[in-house]
Amino acid sequence: IDKEFLLIPGPTPLPPRVISAMTQPIINHRGPRFKEMFQKAMIALKELINCSGDVYLIPSSGTGAMELSVDNFTSKGDKVLVVDTGIFGERFYMMNVARGRNALRLKVEWGRAVQPEEITEVLISNSDVKAVFIAHNETSATTINDIKQISSRIKKMSDCFIIVDAVSSIGVTEIDIDNWGIDVLIGASQKGLMSPPGIGIVAASKRAVEYAMKKENETYYFDVKSIKKNADINQSFTTFPVSTFLGLSEALKMIQEEGYENIYKRHLIYRNLVRTALKEIGLELVANDADASPGLTGIYAPKGINANDIISMMRERYGVEIASAQGNLKGKAFRISHMGYINSNDLLVAISALECTLKDLGYNDIEMGIGTKKFLELRRKFE
Ligand code: PMP
């Protein structure tokens, strides 16, 4: 039987309820039923991320939502600061450069979060910075940045916009736009939100919306003016990915039913289970303990083993689909996701398959089953 355990950081596995919602007949994306669902989804998202400003749903992956944030919430020639803690920080930087922004880049080595002082230090000598761009959960380096702290420190010295990439943190860990003082936050459907790829999410504070309404248009498709005009009457500017949306609507109901706090707690428990088991096996992790992502874990391949061989063996022999590392870590590390619709049994399979895989690849420095045992011992404490 062809069956796989999908443990990559997006697209993540779909709950059966989401799959079945998507098999409904297509509905008119300008009809009353869609409008009602669209409104409900926006309300659910506003509650999830505590946003009293606007939330827009756009037909796009996360990268499109990132680009929208550059085009609509900054202007040509603006000085911006991009915090680069990994591939997605780098992507924000490249976009800003491509769009003619005067982009400063604060590069942080992979595996640790940026410290708020590192950002404020740059802002002291660059008081004309109009926006700070930062990833909340840096999926490539498997770290999480403390947006609450960072935002509060920035607010004390600057009224620049704080623009956050939350593609891999929405539905995984707490986000509080209003209380943290975030101006723009972007996300996508296919990770913690347990839905297929195809819908981008943009949340904007009132002052960010005002700014976008006044500024000169730089784009047509991703223009907040027309997106807002349509969102205000509960519809999308262009044809919407209706089936994906039916799935997302169902997933948002599931998230409300499980409860936000329970979801965040579950992700932290899984992170701790996975990290403890991996350390027991003797593997080195990419992120340090204090900054480790609740959504996924990066692991270095043991010396002498190519990480891509681990990934292939996990797939071919054990049916476990894990992700390659990105950037300079390709071939050296791999990533196991624990975000979205995943339970501890999935992770138990992953840990034991990894032990078998390492043995298969000739890594004999481990006592077989040691990580699995540790995982089970620790899991019992949470049952
Ligand atoms: N930002 C982060 C933090 C991500 O994890 C990803 C996807 N891995 C993206 C942006 C880009 O999203 P997409 O692939 O949906 O364009």
Side-chain angles (χ1 to χ4, degrees):
I1 298 172
D2 194 15
K3 189 172 177 201
E4 86 179 7
F5 290 85
L6 184 66
L7 296 174
I8 62 167
T12 58
L14 300 181
R17 270 175 67 179
V18 171
I19 297 172
S20 104
M22 290 194 306
T23 62
Q24 294 172 65
I26 290 285
I27 56 173
N28 176 4
H29 71 296
R30 308 247 175 253
R33 194 164 153 232
F34 183 89
K35 283 190 176 184
E36 194 191 324
M37 290 181 79
F38 205 65
Q39 185 181 27
K40 276 194 182 145
M42 287 196 283
I43 292 171
L45 279 165
K46 279 187 183 183
E47 193 186 281
L48 176 65
I49 55 182
N50 195 31
C51 174
S52 58
D54 281 0
V55 169
Y56 311 123
L57 300 179
I58 57 170
S60 155
S61 80
T63 304
M66 288 171 79
E67 192 156 82
L68 177 150
S69 74
V70 174
D71 289 338
N72 289 272
F73 300 105
T74 65
S75 297
K76 240 185 207 98
D78 276 359
K79 190 188 266 190
V80 301
L81 170 62
V82 182
V83 180
D84 174 356
T85 46
I87 289 284
F88 298 102
E90 179 183 297
R91 188 171 294 184
F92 254 154
Y93 175 76
M94 305 298 271
M95 278 176 182
N96 272 290
V97 171
R99 293 301 211 228
R101 275 54 173 168
N102 173 11
L104 307 173
R105 182 179 189 172
L106 172 61
K107 225 168 163 352
V108 173
E109 63 273 19
W110 287 35
R112 73 165 177 93
V114 68
Q115 297 308 303
E117 310 78 64
E118 294 176 90
I119 300 175
T120 50
E121 204 172 293
V122 180
L123 293 177
I124 287 170
S125 40
N126 293 279
S127 57
D128 50 345
V129 161
K130 297 282 184 4
V132 172
F133 288 83
I134 183 166
H136 187 195
N137 188 78
E138 183 41 88
T139 325
S140 59
T142 64
T143 47
I144 185 145
N145 288 308
D146 187 345
I147 300 298
K148 183 181 178 182
Q149 279 296 330
I150 289 168
S151 180
S152 109
R153 294 291 295 275
I154 293 174
K155 295 262 165 244
K156 287 195 182 119
M157 60 184 306
S158 167
D159 65 353
C160 66
F161 282 159
I162 298 172
I163 302 184
V164 178
D165 169 354
V167 167
S168 59
S169 58
I170 290 191
V172 172
T173 190
E174 188 192 8
I175 294 171
D176 188 334
I177 294 197
D178 285 359
N179 287 313
W180 295 359
I182 298 172
D183 293 288
V184 180
L185 181 129
I186 64 96
S189 49
Q190 78 273 18
K191 296 183 193 266
L193 295 179
M194 309 185 292
S195 304
I199 298 178
I201 294 154
V202 180
S205 67
K206 290 191 179 82
R207 72 171 187 146
V209 174
E210 265 168 38
Y211 176 92
M213 287 311 166
K214 280 192 211 135
K215 92 170 276 267
E216 202 182 306
N217 286 15
E218 286 183 60
T219 56
Y220 185 81
Y221 189 65
F222 284 141
D223 175 15
V224 164
K225 292 193 185 81
S226 48
I227 291 172
K228 177 176 170 55
K229 204 165 100 198
N230 283 276
D232 285 348
I233 50 166
N234 299 312
Q235 63 178 22
S236 158
F237 170 45
T238 55
T239 311
F240 211 62
V242 175
S243 303
T244 299
F245 176 67
L246 294 172
L248 176 63
S249 297
E250 190 62 27
L252 288 169
K253 277 188 216 154
M254 289 180 66
I255 287 172
Q256 278 176 330
E257 284 165 18
E258 184 176 352
Y260 309 144
E261 289 309 318
N262 293 334
I263 291 172
Y264 306 149
K265 205 168 121 197
R266 165 164 63 83
H267 282 90
L268 280 181
I269 291 174
Y270 291 171
R271 174 192 72 180
N272 296 344
L273 285 174
V274 167
R275 289 177 69 83
T276 307
L278 292 167
K279 284 183 193 165
E280 189 74 4
I281 298 173
L283 294 169
E284 196 192 331
L285 306 180
V286 174
N288 65 41
D289 284 342
D291 303 326
S293 162
L296 83 165
T297 297
I299 306 127
Y300 287 105
K303 263 205 175 67
I305 299 184
N306 188 315
N308 294 330
D309 293 339
I310 296 177
I311 294 165
S312 305
M313 182 74 83
M314 290 278 278
R315 172 187 301 131
E316 282 152 29
R317 197 165 282 175
Y318 302 101
V320 180
E321 193 68 33
I322 56 171
S324 160
Q326 292 169 293
N328 290 337
L329 291 187
K330 258 194 198 143
K332 294 192 192 118
F334 56 95
R335 297 173 299 158
I336 297 179
S337 166
H338 28 89
M339 66 175 78
Y341 184 64
I342 283 181
N343 71 13
S344 66
N345 287 333
D346 295 317
L347 299 170
L348 179 61
V349 170
I351 295 293
S352 27
L354 179 60
E355 292 195 78
C356 298
T357 296
L358 291 173
K359 269 271 182 273
D360 295 342
L361 292 171
Y363 181 66
N364 289 316
D365 290 359
I366 56 164
E367 188 190 320
M368 197 59 174
I370 194 172
T372 306
K373 192 165 154 246
K374 190 80 187 174
F375 186 98
L376 285 168
E377 268 169 26
L378 195 56
R379 184 170 81 164
R380 246 171 253 132
K381 294 199 179 143
F382 297 111
E383 278 165 354

